[in-house]
Amino acid sequence: MERHPELEIDLDKIVAAKFPGKKIPQWFINRMKRFIHQDYLNGFFTKGYEGVEFCTEALRYLDVEIEVEGLDRVVVPEGSLMTFASNHPLGGVDGIALVSVIGEHFGGNVKVMVNDFLMFLKGLAPLCIPINKTGDQSRNLPALVRQMYESGDNVIVCPAGLCSRRINGRIQDLPWSKNFIKMSVQSGRYVVPVHFIGRNSKRFYNVASICKLLRLKFNFAMLLLPDELYRARHGKYRIVFGKPVPASAFDNSRTPYEWAQWVRAEAYKL
C-alpha cells in the first residue's frame, strides 16, 4: 500500500496551531510524542484510509474485536434518519467502533461530533463536526450542529460530552446534554439508545477523580486518552443497540433534559 507521509500527526505542528505565541519546552513535546505513541499511530495514519473505512481499518490495526448486538432492532421507515446516542466509556475506541459499525451497516452516511483536536486526523475529518466550546469556533457551533442534524446523514453523539467517570463507585457517564433531544425533534429523527460496554484503566479514573477533588479547570484526564487508545489494543468490546424512538415520543410530558436522562437510562439497560 502506498504511504502518505502528509497524513502523519506532528505534535510540534499541533502545539503551534493550538497554542500560538506560547513557548512550550521541546523536551516536554518530545516526551508527549512518546506518551501518545506518535510513531505507532502514524504507522496507521499514513496508510491513507478515509471516512468509515478509516475507522474499520483502525480497529483492525489495533487488533480490536467488536461484538455487536441488536442491530436487527434498528428498523425505521424508509427515508427516515436517526440519531445514535451512546454512552462514552473510552474516549477513543468507542467512537471509532461506533462509526465503523453504524457507517458500514447504513451505507457510510454518518456524521459524528468530536473534540476539535481530532480534526488533525485527516482520515477522520470528513465524518466529523468539530466541537470547541471556546474561541472563534464556538460562535459557529450552533450553526454547525444545526447543519449536521439537517443533513441527510445519520448522526452519532455521545451526549455526556466527556468520557465516563467513576461516579458513586460505578463507571458511568455524566448526565447527558439535552441538545440531541431538541435537535432530533426539530429534524424529525428517530433516537436510538446505544450501550458501549468497556472501560479505561484505573489510572484514568483516578486522575479524573483527583481533578474533580481539586476542582481543576483543565481536564488532565483527557491527556491520557491517546495512551488509553494504545492500551486498548487486542481488546474485545461490545455494542448493544436499542429500539429507535420516534421524535414524536419526546412530548411535553418531560423537559428535553429529562428526556435526555431517560434515553441515557434506556441505553444503560441494554
Side-chain angles (χ1 to χ4, degrees):
M1 176 179 288
E2 182 182 357
R3 188 172 178 274
H4 298 264
E6 73 278 6
L7 298 179
E8 288 185 345
I9 56 170
D10 185 333
L11 199 59
D12 291 288
K13 293 180 180 178
I14 293 174
V15 169
K18 293 296 296 182
F19 306 101
K22 295 186 178 180
K23 292 185 178 181
I24 309 297
Q26 189 61 47
W27 66 264
F28 178 77
I29 295 176
N30 291 339
R31 180 167 294 182
M32 289 302 298
K33 287 179 183 179
R34 292 191 295 273
F35 183 73
I36 69 171
H37 309 283
Q38 178 173 291
D39 290 343
Y40 174 79
L41 295 176
N42 280 335
F44 171 73
F45 296 147
T46 55
K47 294 180 183 292
Y49 297 113
E50 188 173 272
V52 173
E53 185 184 28
F54 175 95
C55 294
T56 300
E57 293 299 330
L59 294 176
R60 186 172 288 115
Y61 185 74
L62 293 165
D63 188 31
V64 167
E65 181 181 348
I66 303 296
E67 179 184 342
V68 180
E69 179 184 332
L71 263 180
D72 57 315
R73 293 193 286 258
V74 185
V75 179
V76 297
E78 187 175 353
S80 299
L81 293 171
M82 292 169 281
T83 299
F84 293 86
S86 175
N87 64 315
H88 195 23
L90 303 181
V93 165
D94 46 0
I96 293 170
L98 287 168
V99 171
S100 174
V101 171
I102 295 169
E104 288 193 345
H105 192 77
F106 295 98
N109 298 321
V110 293
K111 283 287 186 291
V112 60
M113 296 173 66
V114 301
N115 185 289
D116 71 328
F117 271 103
L118 294 182
M119 297 304 287
F120 287 100
L121 308 185
K122 296 179 177 64
L124 195 60
L127 303 175
C128 299
I129 300 296
I131 302 302
N132 178 0
K133 296 182 180 180
T134 61
D136 293 338
Q137 193 259 1
S138 64
R139 291 193 289 270
N140 299 324
L141 183 56
L144 289 171
V145 172
R146 185 169 58 252
Q147 180 181 351
M148 178 178 69
Y149 279 95
E150 291 176 353
S151 74
D153 297 315
N154 291 306
V155 169
I156 302 171
V157 295
C158 294
L162 300 174
C163 54
S164 302
R165 300 295 196 258
R166 187 187 296 115
I167 304 172
N168 297 326
R170 177 171 163 240
I171 304 303
Q172 59 181 303
D173 275 6
L174 297 167
W176 283 11
S177 166
K178 65 184 179 181
N179 196 51
F180 79 100
I181 295 290
K182 295 175 65 176
M183 298 305 298
S184 295
V185 169
Q186 289 178 20
S187 56
R189 290 172 175 269
Y190 284 77
V191 173
V192 182
V194 183
H195 187 190
F196 190 103
I197 300 171
R199 59 189 299 165
N200 283 321
S201 67
K202 290 183 179 179
R203 178 195 62 177
F204 175 84
Y205 301 115
N206 289 340
V207 170
S209 296
I210 291 171
C211 289
K212 181 180 179 181
L213 182 66
L214 298 178
R215 298 182 180 180
L216 300 178
K217 292 183 179 181
F218 184 77
N219 181 13
F220 283 96
M222 182 180 69
L223 299 178
L224 301 176
L225 292 179
D227 189 52
E228 292 294 329
L229 176 65
Y230 185 79
R231 288 169 177 238
R233 292 172 308 144
H234 320 303
K236 183 176 180 179
Y237 303 94
R238 188 162 163 245
I239 305 176
V240 187
F241 291 86
K243 292 183 178 180
V245 182
S248 59
F250 302 110
D251 57 23
N252 293 328
S253 64
R254 290 182 170 97
T255 66
Y257 177 81
E258 289 170 338
W259 276 121
Q261 307 326 307
W262 180 84
V263 176
R264 178 185 184 278
E266 291 298 303
Y268 275 112
K269 289 177 184 177
L270 297 170

